[in-house]
Amino acid sequence: MAKSKKNSALEASSEKQIYDLKQLLEISKSLNSVIDFSTLIEAILYTCMGQMKTLGVAIFTKQNFDACCFQLNRNYCGFELNPNSDYSFPETHPLIALLSSQNSCVTPEVIQKELTPDTALKNLMELNPSLIVPLKAKSHINGMLVLGEQITAEEYSTYEKEHILNIASLAAIAISNAALLEMTTTDMMTHLKLKHYFYTVLMQRLEDSISQKSPLSILMLDIDFFKRFNDTYGHACGDVVLQMVASVIQANTRNQDMAARYGGEEFVIMLCDTPVHTAEKIAERIRKSIENLDILYDSQHLRLTISIGVAEFNHTVDQTAKNLVDRADKALYTSKQTGRNKVSVAE
């Protein structure tokens, strides 16, 4: 009888392992079919929550390819953050070194035992993590997963820790691939997307807009009298102005939106699931934020303004993505011709 129970347990364990291997194969296919970084992060989060049965999960990654610290991605689930806390770790932080030196998960107890407390660790521990998992690709760490409260009261088993490590390895490879794509599709100056990639994504989103009958709007933006900054203070000043405008644009867009440097001092923003009246409000918010900027450069306080054109996709008028962008560009031209520092909506 005891032998029969043992065989049944072994059989159940083998079936569980086979099932999990099949799951890993599906996870690998799923993650590596996603090229958009934000969408990839969401896929990783929901996969980990489902597989590990936790009430929360977050991921720390580098915000761009030349960043020197790992920051909490704004896509996270199940955690209540302190708005006054900084959730980031320099790549030289002892926790990153600990995760890099071993191919295993780390519990909060291990962190408290082996690492000297500092502000970064204090902020992390306030999230009440249940497990910290390194994201390693080719022995190189490119982030970490933070698992929240478990649904069950039981501690993670050795098998469960190995399983999440396997998922993390697949996630790390997918993140590396997405980072390579990010490098080839991102403007080095502003960290916004490049024009050609913007059009590639826009064409796909327009198809989705038609099939799902959801609104989509475009903003075209141009810095007013930009040449004056270059002529008066030099091109280095112009670079600072471009970066400041890009940061305002990023602060006023969502993960599902996309902003790109269209060329020179022009920018373009795709606002998904956004009708024209909402897009106009977003454009006005960006315009005001830029108007209120006080840029200190070479002991000089610089002020700038921006003109914006807005257009909503209309499948009976806009036969191509270029048609839609051109309509937004014409609205931008109206703003420039009627006084600048204003928002105009395309007919």
Side-chain angles (χ1 to χ4, degrees):
M1 186 71 176
K3 188 174 182 180
S4 176
K5 286 185 178 180
K6 184 177 181 181
N7 288 338
S8 296
L10 287 172
E11 185 176 331
S13 176
S14 297
E15 288 178 354
K16 167 67 173 168
Q17 291 182 37
I18 292 171
Y19 174 79
D20 286 341
L21 286 172
K22 289 180 178 178
Q23 287 285 92
L24 287 174
L25 179 60
E26 291 303 314
I27 291 169
S28 178
K29 289 178 181 178
S30 174
L31 295 183
N32 284 287
S33 66
V34 179
I35 60 173
D36 177 69
F37 191 79
S38 178
T39 305
L40 172 63
I41 296 299
E42 283 189 3
I44 293 171
L45 295 179
Y46 287 120
T47 296
C48 292
M49 285 183 71
Q51 292 291 312
M52 300 303 291
K53 298 179 175 59
T54 65
L55 297 175
V57 63
I59 187 167
F60 284 74
T61 59
K62 292 185 177 181
Q63 284 199 325
N64 49 65
F65 41 84
D66 58 353
C68 58
C69 69
F70 298 95
Q71 290 190 310
L72 178 66
N73 191 279
R74 56 182 177 177
N75 284 351
Y76 59 88
C77 301
F79 291 105
E80 289 191 13
L81 304 187
N82 183 342
N84 299 317
S85 296
D86 175 28
Y87 298 97
S88 64
F89 288 87
E91 55 188 0
T92 56
H93 192 278
L95 175 59
I96 305 303
L98 177 65
L99 293 171
S100 298
S101 65
Q102 56 189 43
N103 189 34
S104 62
C105 304
V106 177
T107 63
E109 291 75 22
V110 169
I111 291 176
Q112 292 170 340
K113 179 181 178 181
E114 298 192 14
L115 301 180
T116 303
D118 59 16
T119 302
L121 288 174
K122 175 178 175 293
N123 292 339
L124 177 64
M125 290 299 105
E126 285 180 351
L127 298 178
N128 295 317
S130 59
L131 200 65
I132 314 298
V133 187
L135 294 168
K136 296 176 75 172
K138 297 181 178 179
S139 300
H140 176 73
I141 188 165
N142 57 15
M144 62 180 180
L145 286 169
V146 178
L147 302 186
E149 182 184 352
Q150 297 171 259
I151 293 176
T152 62
E154 297 177 7
E155 292 185 0
Y156 293 111
S157 66
T158 301
Y159 179 80
E160 286 174 323
K161 291 179 180 178
E162 290 177 355
H163 185 55
I164 190 61
L165 271 177
N166 287 331
I167 294 174
S169 295
L170 296 175
I173 293 170
I175 288 174
S176 292
N177 292 338
L180 289 173
L181 178 65
E182 190 83 1
M183 290 176 65
T184 60
T185 60
T186 302
D187 175 57
M188 295 289 289
M189 175 68 65
T190 61
H191 294 297
L192 300 181
K193 291 301 181 183
L194 293 170
K195 178 179 177 179
H196 70 86
Y197 183 70
F198 177 86
Y199 268 108
T200 300
V201 176
L202 176 58
M203 287 187 287
Q204 179 59 56
R205 296 290 170 83
L206 290 182
E207 291 179 6
D208 296 341
S209 179
I210 293 171
S211 63
Q212 298 170 12
K213 297 182 180 179
S214 59
L216 183 147
S217 294
I218 293 290
L219 307 185
M220 284 291 294
L221 311 90
D222 185 88
I223 301 173
D224 298 327
F225 304 112
F226 177 73
K227 189 172 182 293
R228 291 182 184 177
F229 294 103
N230 285 334
D231 293 345
T232 306
Y233 303 102
H235 287 280
C237 176
D239 292 346
V240 171
V241 169
L242 289 170
Q243 290 165 349
M244 292 296 291
V245 170
S247 67
V248 171
I249 290 172
Q250 287 177 314
N252 285 279
T253 52
R254 305 160 298 176
N255 287 333
Q256 63 263 41
D257 302 326
M258 178 176 289
R261 186 179 178 189
Y262 200 73
E265 67 274 21
E266 277 193 313
F267 301 88
V268 61
I269 305 173
M270 173 178 58
L271 300 172
C272 299
D273 297 318
T274 306
V276 68
H277 58 86
T278 304
E280 185 179 8
K281 291 178 181 178
I282 294 170
E284 182 61 22
R285 186 165 66 236
I286 292 172
R287 187 200 65 77
K288 285 183 178 179
S289 297
I290 291 172
E291 185 181 36
N292 292 331
L293 282 177
D294 181 14
I295 302 175
L296 184 62
Y297 180 81
D298 197 19
S299 301
Q300 299 289 323
H301 289 271
L302 308 181
R303 314 290 288 192
L304 68 148
T305 61
I306 196 165
S307 298
I308 306 177
V310 184
E312 181 180 354
F313 175 59
N314 184 327
H315 71 273
T316 61
V317 175
D318 303 310
Q319 300 302 315
T320 65
K322 186 71 166 58
N323 290 150
L324 173 59
V325 173
D326 284 346
R327 287 202 299 117
D329 196 38
K330 287 179 181 177
L332 167 61
Y333 182 77
T334 299
S335 293
K336 303 287 278 189
Q337 290 298 107
T338 55
R340 293 183 167 83
N341 189 26
K342 62 189 300 186
V343 175
S344 299
V345 179
E347 294 182 1

